[in-house]
Amino acid sequence: MKKNLKQIAIVALVVLVIAACKKNQESSTIEPQETVKNADKVLQYIKDLGFPSTSIVDNGNEFIVEEDITFPKNMEIPAYGAGVKTEQYYTGSIVNSTKKLNIRIFVDPSMTSMSSEINSAIAQWNGVPNSTLRFSVVTTAPYDILIKNENLGNGVCGQGQFPSGGSAGALVKINKNYIAGNSFAQRARTICHEFGHCISFRHTNWAAQGESTATNVPGVTGTDALSLMNGGQCGSGATVLSQKDKDATAVLY
């Protein structure tokens, strides 16, 4: 009888352990409720910025808009939301007054072969007259922006994030193999464009891309065929910041 009780106890213990493991395994695959709630807020924020629902792609831990703008689902939403100001255009949220003085870029080893293009892009933003915005490359943490290579599929040169919580957008992805055949100027243009998203710039041709609204940069209005921040021009767009691009940067920074 004691032997049977001992056997029963062992079986019960095994069942309990298996059940506990199964529960832990299942729970690990469930997205935390807070992340789910924040993702809903991020989705609404994207819509408030004027991006149509049809242009928003759910890509796991992030939303992608217009192929090259990414929104992490755990991002901090600006306290005042979007649309508080009713073309250079921007999100209404910029890098704060301290961090804009030195936005640190860490170049992932996958992108070191394009260090010259990265430096060219940085020089363009750093060279804007009447602006205190400055980018720099750092080789160790801490940093503000990580730039890395990622296969984004055909037709997508790169992707960048908008600012969040007063910090620059934290990630730039470059489709290095896809743009390798482009000219040096066009490769640098792709990187410069994505850095522009990291400091809040929207696509200057937002209306032509079907967006319902965008926030004006005060005093710098209208479309601009020469803008480096025009979207949908992968490998063929302007390779230098236009005068309006520079004017808008000076206004914001």
Side-chain angles (χ1 to χ4, degrees), residues 29-236:
T29 63
I30 298 174
E31 194 172 7
Q33 190 61 32
E34 288 304 313
T35 301
V36 173
K37 290 179 181 178
N38 199 70
D40 290 339
K41 294 177 182 177
V42 172
L43 184 59
Q44 186 58 53
Y45 173 61
I46 296 170
K47 293 176 181 177
D48 289 344
L49 286 172
F51 294 106
S53 298
T54 53
S55 74
I56 304 171
V57 177
D58 189 326
N59 188 45
N61 293 324
E62 63 185 6
F63 294 108
I64 301 175
V65 178
E66 294 182 352
E67 296 184 335
D68 83 317
I69 305 172
T70 62
F71 295 82
K73 290 183 178 179
N74 63 352
M75 71 174 285
E76 180 180 343
I77 307 299
Y80 50 80
V84 293
K85 299 178 182 178
T86 56
E87 191 179 324
Q88 305 321 89
Y89 300 90
Y90 74 122
T91 67
S93 176
I94 62 175
V95 182
N96 70 32
S97 59
T98 300
K99 294 181 178 180
K100 71 173 183 175
L101 302 175
N102 184 23
I103 300 173
R104 300 159 297 182
I105 299 169
F106 182 83
V107 181
D108 185 81
S110 63
M111 281 298 296
T112 53
S113 64
M114 287 192 178
S115 292
S116 294
E117 290 90 333
I118 292 170
N119 290 333
S120 175
I122 288 173
Q124 287 218 53
W125 289 112
N126 287 354
V128 174
N130 303 313
S131 167
T132 56
L133 181 75
R134 294 293 183 272
F135 289 91
S136 66
V137 172
V138 296
T139 56
T140 59
Y143 54 84
D144 304 295
I145 301 174
L146 168 67
I147 181 169
K148 68 175 186 175
N149 171 49
E150 187 162 320
N151 183 357
L152 302 172
N154 288 340
V156 182
C157 286
Q159 293 177 343
Q161 294 177 3
F162 285 143
S164 176
S167 298
L171 180 62
V172 167
K173 303 174 187 177
I174 300 297
N175 197 351
K176 190 172 71 172
N177 290 339
Y178 184 73
I179 69 171
N182 293 347
S183 67
F184 176 91
Q186 284 295 335
R187 295 194 300 270
R189 185 257 182 199
T190 291
I191 295 168
C192 192
H193 178 97
E194 301 310 334
F195 286 159
H197 288 318
C198 291
I199 57 173
S200 191
F201 282 113
R202 297 273 299 270
H203 288 144
T204 306
N205 58 347
W206 61 272
Q209 302 213 110
E211 299 169 34
S212 61
T213 186
T215 302
N216 291 342
V217 172
V220 189
T221 61
T223 57
D224 180 8
L226 300 178
S227 175
L228 189 146
M229 291 310 300
N230 281 324
Q233 298 180 352
C234 179
S236 63

